[in-house]
Structure formats: structure tokens, C-alpha cells
Amino acid sequence: MIRRGGFSRLLLLLAVSRLVIFCLNYQVKVLTRPTGVVFEEKAGLVFGTAYTDIEENVQFHDRRALSLSISLEKFDLESDYNAAFTSAYANANHTNVDPQRRPARRLKTAGHSLLSPYTLQDAIKEADVFESTFAILVYDPGDDTFVGLYSKDHTWRPANKKLFATMNSLAYLLRQLFPERFTPESQEFVLAIGSGDYPQVKLSKLPVTDVATTGTGGTAPVFMFGSAFRDASLYPNMVAMPMPEWYHLLCFEQWVTSGTVCNELTAATHEHGAHNGLEFGEENGLDWDGLIPQLIWRGSDFCYLPSLTRPQKIKPYAYKLSPGQQNTDELATQALRENYDQLTHRWKGVTLTAESEQEAKISGSELPWANIKFQRTLHREPTKYYLEDAGIYPFLRAGSSGSSSVVASPEQDLVRYDDTGIATGEYMRSADLAKYKYHIDLGGGGGTTWTGTVQKLAMPGLLFHHVTPTKDYIHDRLEPWRHYIPVSHDLRDLKSKFDWAESHPREARWISNEGMAFMRHLGSEEGFGEIFREDFVEPLRRAIEAYRPVEATHPGVAWRDVLDASQGGDRMTPIAECSGIKSSRGSCRPMGMAPGDKFKLV
């Protein structure tokens, strides 16, 4: 029942309902897949996990994560942390230049090496690897436009809004950057692209290998405008590209249009109530020694790589209460710990915080070491997600008593986070967060946080970087123990690394300063120009050079005829036509979708 709050609460409820339905739809799809054995084998490739059926429950067992490019397991002792830091410090100081102007090390990835020659048919075959959020962008010289093609075999997801936004920007940027290549006298050009929070691929297709042996994928580059796999061997021809939002692709677009670095990557000014920009310490009078010595995080509860994970089958009750027993923070914290392995990573952080608060009460400490909580909105309305990802509902009405067991279900009047006091925290702006000494960028729906990493690197505190199976394009420029301290995907080493930072303040401060220096360089004209050329222009140039036009493979035949003659003719449908003349949102228009059609833009 809707009480006070009226319209604003109704809007909040609608938004929450859509997200819950989104998560549950993915879960139902995953749980009903007929290829359960294949799923478990492929999930192990991505997550480094084994799934075992025990007493009708699916238990989660950690093992060495195959998908992580950083071996975190060897960093178990303080001596190992010291060795890791010493190595990073030595490597960083081999370059005798100003650290704010020092170029970051660039890891070699698919987009920064020679690409294999590919054709229109090769690009179409990449659609077999995906389930959704994938398109073929074709430059048609006959009409002097870019056409977006979407597979009829793919479902249409809300995340395709990001795909459409990507085509808007990409068509414009291609025409601006390579004007001589995109003219009515040119040959067609074809580029396979993905977008959304992360690659919406079929696990059965991983790893993507040679097309000659699999018949699907592996030849044409796939430019992923979103988070990509950290382990490049899972999809060797996938190229991580900037995400379609500010801080990333839209900042690249502004650079091309006006030659200026976007405000989001420069120091915040706070003029006239504005809060966009990065919260560096010097501009805000913040110094390392004056920062609050606590690990801080605020954000939203969200699904975690929903189509690549398998929800755990655990009993849908919270925890048992004895007759007359009162529900307490201690019992709620105990329920979280008992279900820790089934929780999403952000809920794992909430669990660690709840435990640190209990420990602080016992020890008499004024400040728990962790403060990881879901953020209330500006209107102080709490979010209302109840651990759907794990299938459990551990928070009951505060002060309730009942029978020997209390069963929670979606139909019950479940308690909100702030009724227990252990899951939600006060609203904080970036300027508030910058006052803390330690930060963490907990991954969200795509396994990363598109804006959180760059925002927190700039702050005067130290970043604990959440290393997950996915990465963003900018992560290849960052070095562990130089720009951040890496923490494992399940946060099992977070407390020990926090303790190391507290006991090694000089080293921790150096890492923090290196992270800030990296972001200052990125926000300069020199630094942004460097990342624009290397991470955007160069990969696109290599793709243009690698593409073999239809004229070379089918002389005298138009590209549309080749498309119709191949399997793509029956499968690919146009969803967008982009002039590439206007910037950003004005470049493309939807096409080929009647009202109520499966492919309707939402």
C-alpha cells in the first residue's frame, strides 16, 4: 500500500519493480537452460568457480580464478603485500619524470595489435556468440549513411539503449576522424559492436576460438562499448572500448567536437551548486593526514553479471527466531554471514560493514573499519531490493516475534534496509566521500563501475580496486600496488589489505598520490589526447585497415546482395539509420520496427 510520499514514492516503486523484474527474468532464463552441464563448465571459465549439487542445493566453491589477469592468491601475508608494493614502486620510479606527466603503461590488447583481415560474413558470424546487445554497423556509400543491423535471433533488452547510443556517437566519430574513408565514392565498411553493461554472450560459445573449428566467431573484431572480459583468451577478438556515457565515449566526442576535455574529468569547482568534476584533495583543502581513516562506499543494490551467473538454490527463509525473540542487528548480521557465499559482492561489503560495527561495539572503538552501505536517495527514500540475486530475504520487521521459524516471501511486508540500520547509510556526494582515507569501487551489473573507478582514483584517499572477471578499457592503463591495491572478487582479502594500508601509511599515501597523478594527467589536454589516440582512434584505424570490402571478395556485387545471399539476409534486420553528421543523440533514427514488434526500442 502506498502511504505518504505520494507521487515520488510511486515513481520509486515503479523503478524498483522494473529492476527486480529485469533481474528475475535473467534468473529464470538461466535456471531453465537445458545445457546445465555446459553452463557449469563455462561459468568456471569466466568466474573460476565450481558448482556442485549437494542435498538439492547448489553450493558455491571458490578455486583459482582463471579469468583474473592479476594473481591475487599469492598476496596472503603482509610480507607478500610488501613485496608487491616494492616491485610496483621500483618499476614506477625507473622513469625520471614528473609523476603527473608520466604516461601510464599500456597493456597490449586486441585493439592495439594487428587485426586479422575480415569480411562482412565474418562480422555476421560474431552474432552467433551473443544473446543480445550486439549489432553490425555498416557504412553504405550508396546512401552515404551508416546502418545498424540487429539479429532476429537475439532478444531485445533495455540495455540496447546503450547500443543505440553507441551507434549515435560512433557514426559521428567515424565520419569526423576518417572523412576520406566515408564518402559516396568509398567502399562499404562493416564493424561488429557490442554495448550494454557487459558482453551478453552465450556461455556455451566461450572461449571463442578459430572460426574454422567452431563455425562461429573468432575472426572479425568485436568492439565492446562496455565492460569486457578481463581474461582476453575468452574472446580474443573482442576490443574493450569506452562506455557510452560521460567520463568516457561522450568525453571523446566532446574532444573531437570542441578540442576540450570534458568537465567530468577535470577538478570540480562547486560553483553555483554544481558538483560535476573530480574531487582532488588540493583544491578542496584535503590532506592525507586529515582524512577519516575508514573504508567508505555508497551506491545502489544491483544485479551482478546476471546472465553469466547462476542464482544459488537456498531455502527462502531468513533465519530462525525463538518464540518471543526480538529481531536484532546481531541476528541480521549473523544471517548475512551464514549466507555470505550466495550474496552479491556489494552485499558482501554490507556484511563486512555490519560485522565491523559489531566489533567496534565490543571493543569500544568509535569508528568501524568499514562503512559500505547502500545509499539513500536525496529524498531519503530507501531502496527496496531484498537479495533477489541470492533468493533470500534476511530482514524481517524490526522488533517482531513469532513462531519457531519465520518464513520470508515476496508477498510478506518485509522490513526496509534502514529499519535494521545495517544496510543503508546517509546520502553522500562526491565531496563528502573525498574526506575519507579509503575507498572501494565495488562492481555492479557489468562487474565494474564505469564512473566510480575514475572518481575514486582522483580523491586524496587510497582506492581498493575490486578485481572481477570483467574490465573497462581504462583498466589496462592502471597498475596494481601503484595506482590501487587490488582486492579479490569475493572481498576475502579486503580486511587484511586494509590493515596493511593502516600499518604502512607512507606506502599507502604513495599509492594514493600515484592514482591522483594518473587522473590529473588524464584530465589534461596532453593526457586525454594520448588516451583518445591510443584507446579509440588507433583501434578504429586498425579495423578499417583489416576490413576486406565486398568488392575484393565478390567483384561486381553489392554488399546488400552478399548479405541477402548469406545467412545474414534472413537473420539481420535494420534497427537504425545514422547520418554521422550530427553529434551524439542527433545522428541516428530508429527504423524497421513497427509498434509492438519484438525489436521495438524501449
Side-chain angles (χ1 to χ4, degrees), residues 92-106:
N93 285 279
H94 283 164
T95 306
N96 296 318
V97 297
D98 181 352
Q100 292 191 22
R101 297 175 60 84
R102 182 186 303 140
R105 178 174 63 96
R106 187 64 172 90

Side-chain angles (χ1 to χ4, degrees), residues 322-343:
S322 301
Q325 186 180 28
Q326 297 295 308
N327 183 29
T328 64
D329 292 352
E330 289 79 7
L331 287 175
T333 302
Q334 179 182 344
L336 286 173
R337 171 49 62 182
E338 290 173 351
N339 293 290
Y340 185 85
D341 286 343
Q342 284 77 37
L343 300 178

Side-chain angles (χ1 to χ4, degrees), residues 65-356:
L66 301 179
S67 61
L68 303 185
S69 61
I70 301 173
S71 178
L72 299 176
E73 284 74 12
K74 68 180 181 181
F75 299 137
D76 290 331
L77 302 173
E78 181 176 327
S79 59
D80 295 322
Y81 300 158
N82 290 337
F85 169 81
T86 301
S87 175
Y89 182 82
N91 290 336
N93 285 279
H94 283 164
T95 306
N96 296 318
V97 297
D98 181 352
Q100 292 191 22
R101 297 175 60 84
R102 182 186 303 140
R105 178 174 63 96
R106 187 64 172 90
L107 300 180
K108 186 177 181 181
T109 59
H112 299 82
S113 57
L114 291 177
L115 300 177
S116 300
Y118 72 97
T119 65
L120 169 62
Q121 295 96 318
D122 294 329
I124 292 173
K125 288 179 181 178
E126 297 298 329
D128 295 330
V129 182
F130 279 75
E131 292 184 336
S132 62
T133 63
F134 171 88
I136 305 293
L137 187 67
V138 182
Y139 173 69
D140 181 8
D143 294 332
D144 193 25
T145 59
F146 295 85
V147 179
L149 303 176
Y150 196 81
S151 174
K152 296 178 182 178
D153 296 334
H154 293 175
T155 53
W156 190 266
R157 302 290 187 194
N160 280 346
K161 289 183 178 180
K162 296 183 176 72
L163 184 65
F164 197 82
T166 295
M167 288 189 287
N168 258 305
S169 294
L170 185 56
Y172 171 74
L173 290 169
L174 282 171
R175 196 182 286 278
Q176 293 295 313
L177 294 172
F178 307 98
E180 72 288 348
R181 177 61 181 82
F182 299 103
T183 69
E185 291 74 33
S186 304
Q187 301 291 334
E188 89 286 345
F189 173 69
V190 175
L191 186 65
I193 62 173
S195 192
D197 290 343
Y198 65 100
Q200 299 278 351
V201 299
K202 302 170 185 175
L203 282 176
S204 61
K205 300 296 184 181
L206 297 180
V208 177
T209 54
D210 183 25
V211 66
T213 58
T214 64
T216 59
T219 300
V222 178
F223 281 56
M224 183 63 202
F225 290 84
S227 299
F229 294 118
R230 180 176 294 275
D231 181 359
S233 67
L234 292 176
Y235 207 143
N237 48 313
M238 178 172 283
V239 182
M241 295 294 281
M243 296 73 78
E245 65 170 28
W246 288 108
Y247 292 94
H248 304 294
L249 185 57
L250 296 184
C251 283
F252 286 5
E253 189 174 316
Q254 178 176 321
W255 178 258
V256 170
T257 303
S258 66
T260 59
V261 179
C262 60
N263 292 335
E264 284 75 9
L265 292 178
T266 59
T269 61
H270 302 292
E271 294 179 356
H272 310 295
H275 292 277
N276 59 320
L278 300 177
E279 299 291 346
F280 293 104
E282 183 177 346
E283 288 81 350
N284 295 296
L286 299 175
D287 181 74
W288 173 267
D289 293 330
L291 298 177
I292 302 170
Q294 187 180 55
L295 176 62
I296 190 73
W297 180 87
R298 288 294 184 271
S300 61
D301 185 13
F302 206 76
C303 305
Y304 174 77
L305 299 173
S307 69
L308 295 179
T309 58
R310 190 170 194 171
Q312 308 306 303
K313 297 178 181 177
I314 62 177
K315 295 181 180 180
Y317 59 74
Y319 44 86
K320 293 182 178 180
L321 297 175
S322 301
Q325 186 180 28
Q326 297 295 308
N327 183 29
T328 64
D329 292 352
E330 289 79 7
L331 287 175
T333 302
Q334 179 182 344
L336 286 173
R337 171 49 62 182
E338 290 173 351
N339 293 290
Y340 185 85
D341 286 343
Q342 284 77 37
L343 300 178
T344 59
H345 302 93
R346 293 183 175 185
W347 273 97
K348 284 180 169 67
V350 169
T351 303
L352 295 176
T353 294
E355 291 175 338
S356 74

